[in-house]
Amino acid sequence: MSETSLNFESQAYRDLIAKSLLHKGHNARLKKAIEKTKRGEPVTIAYIGGSITQGAGAEPIHMNCYAYQSFHLFKKMFAPTSNSSLRFIKAGLGGTPSELGVIRYHRDVLREGGSQARYSHCGVRRERCR
């Protein structure tokens, strides 16, 4: 069975994208982390979730996963020097549903000192992350 190609210019695609964003959230913590990073203050950015956060499909897994790539871009955009006090926590573990994610957040992020910015992804195939 072959996959059908997707027309990114179609109205159907634009409608799908418009419906996919449920809530933009509150970005005050992210703005605060950006300002602290620009001043050279210590900032920790944590990613917690399932196989996508772990880096499934990325080769090499630790350098090409979305978590490291977005952290690297954040550092490049906002850190004043390459030896900035910017810390990265990647707590990705395949098969993590949201219930386990809550427990792992306490174990894998808070125990490491917490974070100023967090990105969560849990159980895409099974349920929405809470």
Side-chain angles (χ1 to χ4, degrees), residues 8-78:
F8 295 107
E9 304 301 320
S10 72
Q11 184 61 45
Y13 179 76
R14 286 194 297 272
D15 291 345
L16 176 72
I17 295 301
K19 290 179 189 175
S20 69
L21 180 59
L22 299 177
H23 192 280
K24 290 182 182 179
H26 189 340
N27 64 5
R29 288 176 59 92
L30 180 58
K31 288 179 179 179
K32 185 176 179 182
I34 289 170
E35 292 308 313
K36 285 179 75 172
T37 302
K38 286 179 177 178
R39 291 190 302 267
E41 297 176 26
V43 171
T44 299
I45 299 179
Y47 298 78
I48 186 163
S51 58
I52 293 171
T53 304
Q54 183 179 7
E59 292 185 19
I61 193 169
H62 297 297
M63 299 300 288
N64 285 328
C65 63
Y66 90 89
Y68 182 77
Q69 289 294 310
S70 61
F71 171 80
H72 180 69
L73 182 60
F74 183 94
K75 185 175 183 176
K76 183 178 174 182
M77 291 175 68
F78 305 115

Side-chain angles (χ1 to χ4, degrees), residues 29-129:
R29 288 176 59 92
L30 180 58
K31 288 179 179 179
K32 185 176 179 182
I34 289 170
E35 292 308 313
K36 285 179 75 172
T37 302
K38 286 179 177 178
R39 291 190 302 267
E41 297 176 26
V43 171
T44 299
I45 299 179
Y47 298 78
I48 186 163
S51 58
I52 293 171
T53 304
Q54 183 179 7
E59 292 185 19
I61 193 169
H62 297 297
M63 299 300 288
N64 285 328
C65 63
Y66 90 89
Y68 182 77
Q69 289 294 310
S70 61
F71 171 80
H72 180 69
L73 182 60
F74 183 94
K75 185 175 183 176
K76 183 178 174 182
M77 291 175 68
F78 305 115
T81 64
S82 61
N83 62 351
S84 169
S85 308
L86 194 55
R87 194 163 148 241
F88 172 64
I89 296 175
K90 184 179 89 166
L93 178 65
T96 299
S98 56
E99 292 85 357
L100 179 57
V102 170
I103 295 167
R104 292 190 51 242
Y105 174 73
H106 288 280
R107 186 193 73 191
D108 298 339
V109 177
L110 291 182
R111 185 171 67 182
E112 294 295 321
S115 67
Q116 283 70 45
R118 290 181 289 280
Y119 301 91
S120 300
H121 154 265
C122 302
V124 167
R125 288 180 217 93
R126 292 178 293 282
E127 60 184 89
R128 258 185 38 208
C129 189

